[in-house]
């Protein structure tokens, strides 16, 4: 009996049917497993503008919520500043008259005590002023003697009344001329307690103790500008840091105000207080000068140094929130406020000045409200 076999063209068709059946069985098995897997809990449920965090949500472990208390807020503001010498401890020494500098007793950097001779100048006009004063004094002495003689003669009724009156007039004129000559000599530095004169030379002394910080002449030179300082003596043991405040900041300035000064020359800031606020605005810059005194016995602060002064404005009641609580949404800033336990609503804020890691809230929040202060960005749209 002959064996019956399938034709060759049937074999591929049977194999295809078997493969298709196997794939279908696999897909059906996967769908069955997916149907059996439980759904993951929702991390966030949106109900209109309200955001609710379900009990099993992982957000409950990451979000941090804190109340916003009302507190005293002192807003800092920064002003450009410069180190200046104390005007009461700086003297620009001018020569009393034009003349030749015959001796420089002090040079740049030299320490000076009050009353020490700084320089000696030979001034021809001073010699003339001394001669005029001596001549006037001699005339006064003669007029005084003549007046006394005429008074004695008048008592004896020997001199006429006219001679006595003439002697009195001559004496008054001589006294006036002597006073004028002495005043001119004093102005030239001849008879004051500060300079000391010998002939035509004037020894100019320092009015304060300190150090020579500027010198504009050399020994042997001729100085003909009596309005320009020849030498500057300054006591820099105390200096000022002077800041310029704009008109908008004037209301926030007061004596005793706390300040921090940052100098370009040093890394560590200085702590100080406002010692003086100018009474008038500078008409050119429309600013008010604020001076902060500093002890400078170590000489670290050099007049002319640039600085930045950060002042704390007058304290006022306000609200501060961490910067981490502020979420930027386009051009607006907002925070998420807890209206019920684990239910939040976005609130648009009006912000003020940043103070360290916090920022002042001018509008949008009330004292005591609770806001998300950590990972609030996870609630953002």
């Amino acid at each position: 009996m002959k064996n019956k076999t399938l034709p060759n063209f049937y074999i591929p068709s049977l194999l295809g049917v078997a493969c298709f059946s196997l794939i279908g069985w696999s897909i059906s098995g996967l769908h069955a497993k997916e149907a059996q897997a439980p759904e993951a809990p929702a991390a966030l449920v949106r109900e209109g503008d309200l955001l609710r965090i379900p009990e099993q949500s992982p957000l409950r472990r990451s979000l941090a919520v804190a109340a916003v208390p009302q507190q005293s807020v002192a807003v800092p503001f920064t002003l450009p500043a410069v180190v200046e010498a104390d005007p009461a401890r700086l003297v620009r020494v001018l020569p009393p008259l034009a003349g030749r500098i015959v001796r420089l007793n002090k040079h740049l950097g030299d320490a000076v005590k009050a009353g020490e001779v700084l320089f000696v100048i030979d001034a021809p006009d001073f010699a003339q002023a001394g001669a005029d004063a001596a001549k006037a004094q001699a005339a006064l002495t003669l007029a005084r003697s003549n007046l006394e003689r005429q008074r004695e003669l008048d008592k004896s009724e020997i001199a006429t009344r006219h001679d006595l009156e003439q002697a009195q007039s001559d004496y008054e004129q001589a006294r006036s001329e002597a006073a004028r000559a002495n005043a001119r000599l004093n102005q030239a530095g001849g008879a004051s307690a500060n300079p000391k004169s010998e002939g035509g030379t004037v020894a100019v002394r320092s009015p304060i103790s300190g150090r020579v910080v500027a010198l504009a002449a050399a020994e042997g030179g001729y100085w003909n500008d009596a309005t320009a300082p020849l030498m500057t003596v300054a006591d820099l043991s105390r200096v000022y840091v002077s800041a310029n405040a704009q008109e908008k900041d004037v209301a926030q300035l007061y004596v005793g105000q706390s300040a921090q000064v940052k100098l370009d020359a040093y890394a560590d800031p200085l702590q100080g207080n406002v010692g003086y606020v100018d009474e008038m605005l500078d008409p050119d810059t429309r600013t008010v000068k604020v001076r902060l005194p500093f002890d400078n016995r170590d000489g670290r602060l050099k007049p002319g140094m640039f600085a930045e002064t950060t002042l704390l404005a007058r304290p006022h009641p306000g609200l501060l929130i961490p910067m981490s609580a502020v979420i930027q949404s386009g051009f607006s800033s907002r925070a998420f406020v807890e209206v019920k336990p684990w239910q939040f609503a976005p609130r648009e804020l009006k912000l003020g000045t940043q103070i360290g890691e916090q920022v002042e809230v001018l509008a949008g929040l009330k004292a005591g409200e609770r806001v998300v202060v950590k990972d609030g960005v996870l609630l953002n749209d």
Side-chain angles (χ1 to χ4, degrees):
M1 195 175 172
K2 293 183 180 179
N3 292 331
K4 293 183 180 180
T5 59
L6 292 174
N8 291 336
F9 63 87
Y10 283 115
I11 296 175
S13 298
L14 292 174
L15 290 175
V17 171
C19 290
F20 181 78
S21 300
L22 182 61
I23 292 173
W25 177 80
S26 300
I27 293 175
S28 299
L30 290 175
H31 278 295
K33 289 183 179 179
E34 289 180 357
Q36 295 174 1
E39 294 185 1
L44 177 66
V45 177
R46 300 182 183 278
E47 300 173 354
D49 290 337
L50 191 66
L51 305 176
R52 183 169 57 84
I53 310 299
E55 186 175 352
Q56 301 300 324
S57 173
L59 290 178
R60 292 203 177 194
R61 294 189 296 273
S62 61
L63 297 179
V65 183
V68 181
Q70 188 175 60
Q71 54 189 295
S72 178
V73 179
V75 178
F77 58 99
T78 301
L79 304 175
V82 67
V83 179
E84 294 181 350
D86 185 346
R89 302 184 180 207
L90 184 143
V91 177
R92 294 177 175 86
V93 183
L94 284 72
L97 294 168
R100 190 171 302 282
I101 301 167
V102 295
R103 188 168 70 251
L104 279 176
N105 292 52
K106 299 295 180 179
H107 297 81
L108 275 176
D110 288 351
V112 176
K113 293 183 179 180
E116 282 191 306
V117 175
L118 298 175
F119 58 88
V120 178
I121 187 169
D122 185 5
D125 289 345
F126 178 74
Q128 182 62 47
D132 292 344
K135 181 179 178 181
Q137 187 63 40
L140 177 61
T141 301
L142 179 61
R144 183 184 294 110
S145 299
N146 185 42
L147 176 60
E148 292 174 354
R149 183 171 62 253
Q150 289 298 328
R151 285 173 176 171
E152 292 296 329
L153 293 175
D154 182 64
K155 290 179 181 180
S156 303
E157 299 181 353
I158 297 175
T160 63
R161 190 68 180 173
H162 176 270
D163 293 339
L164 178 61
E165 291 176 351
Q166 184 64 45
Q168 182 72 35
S169 176
D170 292 344
Y171 172 75
E172 293 297 335
Q173 291 182 20
R175 188 174 67 173
S176 177
E177 180 61 25
R180 183 195 67 78
N182 286 331
R184 182 168 181 264
L185 184 63
N186 292 343
Q187 187 177 17
S192 67
N194 185 23
K196 181 181 178 182
S197 61
E198 293 182 2
T201 62
V202 181
V204 181
R205 300 176 181 272
S206 175
I208 64 170
S209 298
R211 195 172 294 274
V212 178
V213 297
L215 179 62
E219 196 170 290
Y222 191 83
W223 197 264
N224 60 2
D225 188 357
T227 63
L230 189 150
M231 187 179 292
T232 301
V233 178
D235 178 6
L236 300 179
S237 61
R238 190 182 75 163
V239 297
Y240 284 110
V241 172
S242 297
N244 294 315
Q246 299 179 2
E247 283 187 77
K248 66 180 180 65
D249 297 324
V250 170
Q252 303 297 337
L253 302 174
Y254 58 94
V255 174
Q257 187 172 12
S258 297
Q260 184 182 81
V261 177
K262 179 66 175 66
L263 294 135
D264 293 344
Y266 306 111
D268 296 332
L270 304 176
Q271 302 296 329
N273 298 93
V274 173
Y276 178 73
V277 180
D278 274 4
E279 301 293 336
M280 300 175 62
L281 269 73
D282 187 310
D284 297 325
T285 62
R286 306 301 302 168
T287 58
V288 170
K289 183 165 286 190
V290 183
R291 291 184 171 90
L292 293 81
F294 282 94
D295 184 274
N296 191 44
R297 282 173 288 186
D298 57 2
R300 295 178 74 239
L301 302 180
K302 312 290 185 185
M305 281 182 169
F306 288 114
E308 278 188 349
T309 301
T310 301
L311 302 170
L312 294 179
R314 295 182 184 275
H316 64 274
L319 304 178
L320 292 176
I321 62 173
M323 288 296 299
S324 59
V326 179
I327 307 299
Q328 292 301 130
S329 180
F331 294 101
S332 63
S333 300
R334 62 180 184 172
F336 290 96
V337 181
E338 188 178 45
V339 294
K340 292 181 180 179
W342 295 108
Q343 295 185 29
F344 305 93
R347 187 83 60 79
E348 189 168 334
L349 307 178
K350 181 180 179 182
L351 302 179
T353 305
Q354 182 176 346
I355 305 174
E357 295 300 321
Q358 295 181 307
V359 63
E360 184 179 11
V361 178
L362 303 179
L365 286 179
K366 296 179 181 179
E369 288 189 308
R370 291 168 56 82
V371 299
V372 177
V373 296
K374 178 187 175 185
D375 290 340
V377 68
L378 299 176
L379 304 179
N380 202 22
D381 293 332

